[in-house]
Amino acid sequence: MGISQYIKEIGRGPRGAKPLTREQATDLFGQVLDGSVTDLEIGAFCLAMRIKGETTEEMCGFLDATHQRLALLPATDRPLIVLPSYNGARKLPVLTPLLALLLAREGLPVLLHGMRTEARRILASDVLLALDVPALSAPEKIANGDVRHIHTQHLHAGLARLLAVREVVGLRNPGHSVVKLMNPCVGPSVVVTAYTHPEYFEMLQTTFHTLGMSALLSRGLEGEVATDPRRTPRYDGFVHGTHEVLESQQPGTASEVPGLPAEIDVATTARYTRSVLAGELPIPPAIERQVEHILRLADQTVSETPR
């Protein structure tokens, strides 16, 4: 039936726009994902939401629609660690592959999902390929201690199509928020995500609580979920929606990280990652600390009964 009635509500500018209910947001986003609306309507939706911003109710509705349609990975033996990766490196090497492989070394199954949304960035998935970590062409069970990565297209084609709108209009849209929060797994999981702008912090907290998710939330590096190796951010943990501050932000920024290369290309990043895993270079303490928090959340996710 189209989404024009919703666009009328959300498209009246920062002062006149009205928030959608969770049910309305679910219907709207479902139609967008299903491809049942016109390109003009999708463009209007993206621009209207970019100006208005998402409320918690809207984000929960967008995630409801997404989770109803995703191709899900089978349950894993230990909680699946989900690493969304949609930004890549621009100034510093992308360390999401290192984070993934360190978690796998602790015996956890790890999934990285993502796709290119900006032309001139180094993707974590390309670094994983250079490290001989295979990509999945369809969802499948990931074994303990293994890392796999999958293109968003294989989780839901409509979601990948929505993300690609950025290449046309040059702006992010609600799809970019959804993919950083979604859980593409049938069984227990811990979603590791990050925010760049402080104004999103409260919305993300409330969304994880409302949906009863297990997650680690912190400030990211250039939009990636791996922490900045030069500093220790605040870490917020969620276990079945219950929130706990795991660590407060530490003051100061290191002037250098031993062994961290100045170049950000795929080959150099892969060599650095191999050297750290082999013990030839030290693990950045900030990354090591992030691994510890994720391990703790994974253990709590299976030991604590959802409330």
Side-chain angles (χ1 to χ4, degrees):
M1 64 178 177
I3 59 173
S4 60
Q5 72 275 22
Y6 299 131
I7 293 173
K8 289 178 182 178
E9 298 297 320
I10 64 177
R12 298 180 185 275
R15 295 185 179 180
K18 297 180 181 178
L20 302 176
T21 66
R22 182 170 174 175
E23 293 73 19
Q24 289 173 324
T26 302
D27 180 44
L28 184 162
F29 208 70
Q31 291 188 58
V32 170
L33 293 179
D34 292 342
S36 60
V37 298
T38 66
D39 289 346
L40 186 59
E41 287 175 304
I42 291 176
F45 162 66
C46 291
L47 292 175
M49 291 302 301
R50 176 65 175 173
I51 295 170
K52 187 183 82 65
E54 302 99 349
T55 66
T56 298
E57 284 284 297
E58 290 167 343
M59 184 52 61
C60 287
F62 295 160
L63 284 164
D64 288 341
T66 302
H67 288 146
Q68 291 165 10
R69 290 164 172 80
L70 281 179
L72 299 175
L73 279 76
T76 46
D77 298 327
R78 295 183 68 185
L80 180 68
I81 308 304
V82 180
L83 303 178
S85 182
Y86 289 83
N87 291 70
R90 184 168 58 92
K91 295 181 179 178
L92 292 177
V94 59
L95 298 185
T96 310
L98 176 61
L99 175 64
L101 291 162
L102 289 170
L103 290 165
R105 195 160 72 176
E106 297 292 336
L108 290 168
V110 182
L111 173 72
L112 183 146
H113 64 84
M115 60 179 278
R116 182 176 297 282
T117 60
E118 292 189 52
R120 295 183 298 275
R121 295 213 179 190
I122 305 299
L123 297 187
S125 55
D126 289 340
V127 175
L128 286 174
L129 287 173
L131 292 166
D132 300 320
V133 176
L136 297 176
S137 58
E140 63 181 54
K141 182 177 179 178
I142 300 176
N144 292 343
D146 279 355
V147 175
R148 294 292 182 268
H149 53 109
I150 191 168
H151 193 286
T152 314
Q153 175 80 17
H154 301 308
L155 296 174
H156 194 279
L159 188 55
R161 188 168 57 246
L162 178 60
L163 296 178
V165 171
R166 184 173 189 169
E167 298 176 16
V168 178
V169 302
L171 297 170
R172 65 185 300 280
N173 62 63
H176 293 85
S177 298
V178 165
V179 292
K180 292 187 176 182
L181 305 180
M182 69 185 188
N183 173 22
C185 178
V186 171
S189 68
V190 176
V191 176
V192 180
T193 194
Y195 63 97
T196 303
H197 305 292
E199 58 266 26
Y200 284 102
F201 179 65
E202 184 174 345
M203 185 271 286
L204 295 173
Q205 281 199 79
T206 308
T207 298
F208 284 134
H209 173 72
T210 302
L211 297 181
M213 296 178 66
S214 294
L216 180 72
L217 176 63
S218 65
R219 291 290 292 269
L221 174 63
E222 298 184 356
E224 284 290 306
V225 299
T227 193
D228 187 330
R230 302 166 300 177
R231 59 177 66 97
T232 300
R234 167 174 165 162
Y235 285 107
D236 289 83
F238 300 82
V239 177
H240 306 301
T242 300
H243 173 237
E244 178 184 359
V245 178
L246 302 179
E247 185 171 2
S248 299
Q249 181 176 342
Q250 303 300 309
T253 299
S255 58
E256 63 177 323
V257 178
L260 188 71
E263 299 80 11
I264 66 169
D265 60 277
V266 170
T268 300
T269 305
R271 281 196 300 271
Y272 169 74
T273 302
R274 282 197 182 96
S275 296
V276 173
L277 293 170
E280 299 165 358
L281 289 173
I283 302 171
I287 296 291
E288 200 165 27
R289 191 71 177 141
Q290 187 176 24
V291 169
E292 292 172 1
H293 287 312
I294 295 169
L295 286 169
R296 175 184 171 187
L297 290 173
D299 290 339
Q300 291 179 322
T301 295
V302 294
S303 64
E304 297 183 14
T305 303
R307 297 176 182 178

